[in-house]
Amino acid sequence: MPQHAKPAATATQIHPLLAGRWSSRSFDVEHRLADDNLIALLEAARWAPSAGNSQPARFLVGRRGDETFAAIAASLADFNAAWAPDASALIVAVAETTAPSGGDNHWASYDVGQSVAHLTIEAEHRNLVTHQMGGFDADALATSLGIPDGYKPLTVIAVGRRDLAHRLPDLLAERERAARSRKPLAEVAFSTWGQSIADDEPARRAS
């Protein structure tokens, strides 16, 4: 198992790419994102499910050293600005908020989320890591990158190769090493609201 691995403690076995994915903050500053890897991440995002095939997801890509990367990094909140500029690329996920009919696209954010989820798993498959951020100035980013009205930046995604935690400031290094956790399945999956599917399982087996 790789020294950076923190596999999820799942209730049952799931695909290793899903169990192994976690949001690192320690990136290798020497790593460069190859063109074929970048295109594969964006292709995975492009082929995610989309309500009515409206495809509202757009992506603005900056690679470390270029102007787009610098503009994205400048928009980050202080906490994220402490580590994210070490990533090989920063990608802004943007939602087209107007539906083809001209009204609001109520599913735009959901669809963009699915696109980014696909991107993260393709990254994991290619031995890359991702970290999604909500801490950024969306208005400043829209201005600096020329994002037009009707489009909303939703998240910034850091992409690169994971590095050792000791490169980070102490607080971030501690978070990097911490065990992963999630709410138990009994608190999030119900047969009727508040009735865990786990509570129903003995009755289903007996029927």
Side-chain angles (χ1 to χ4, degrees):
M1 183 177 293
Q3 60 179 325
H4 305 308
K6 294 201 297 186
T10 56
T12 190
Q13 186 174 0
I14 62 175
H15 196 285
L17 292 179
L18 297 168
R21 185 222 59 80
W22 61 279
S23 300
S24 178
R25 291 187 178 90
S26 185
F27 286 90
D28 181 354
V29 296
E30 301 298 325
H31 179 260
R32 298 287 174 179
L33 185 61
D35 290 347
D36 58 340
N37 282 336
L38 174 59
I39 296 303
L41 301 188
L42 297 172
E43 276 291 273
R46 185 168 75 98
W47 285 99
S50 173
N53 203 25
S54 61
Q55 303 174 56
R58 302 290 186 274
F59 298 95
L60 287 161
V61 181
R63 288 197 260 194
R64 191 175 56 242
D66 69 22
E67 292 182 0
T68 300
F69 186 99
I72 299 170
S75 78
L76 298 176
D78 289 345
F79 180 79
N80 292 325
W83 58 268
D86 288 345
S88 304
L90 294 173
I91 302 175
V92 185
V94 180
E96 182 182 15
T97 56
T98 303
S101 63
D104 292 337
N105 186 345
H106 299 291
W107 312 114
S109 296
Y110 182 87
D111 281 0
V112 173
Q114 292 204 80
S115 290
V116 173
H118 279 58
L119 183 155
T120 66
I121 298 305
E122 183 64 30
E124 196 73 22
H125 169 61
R126 292 172 175 269
N127 295 315
L128 298 167
V129 293
T130 58
H131 191 117
Q132 301 167 57
M133 294 167 272
F136 66 97
D137 187 330
D139 291 336
L141 200 52
T143 298
S144 62
L145 296 181
I147 299 172
D149 292 342
Y151 292 83
K152 180 181 180 181
L154 295 182
T155 190
V156 174
I157 311 151
V159 182
R161 186 167 62 193
R162 187 177 286 120
D163 204 351
L164 297 175
H166 66 73
R167 292 192 60 258
L168 296 168
D170 289 345
L171 175 61
L172 293 178
E174 183 179 342
R175 291 191 180 192
E176 194 79 355
R177 299 186 184 102
R180 298 168 61 200
S181 64
R182 288 293 189 274
K183 294 178 180 179
L185 198 59
E187 292 184 16
V188 299
F190 312 128
S191 53
T192 57
W193 195 264
Q195 179 69 40
S196 167
I197 60 167
D199 295 339
D200 292 342
E201 189 59 29
R204 280 198 294 270
R205 287 201 298 265
S207 62

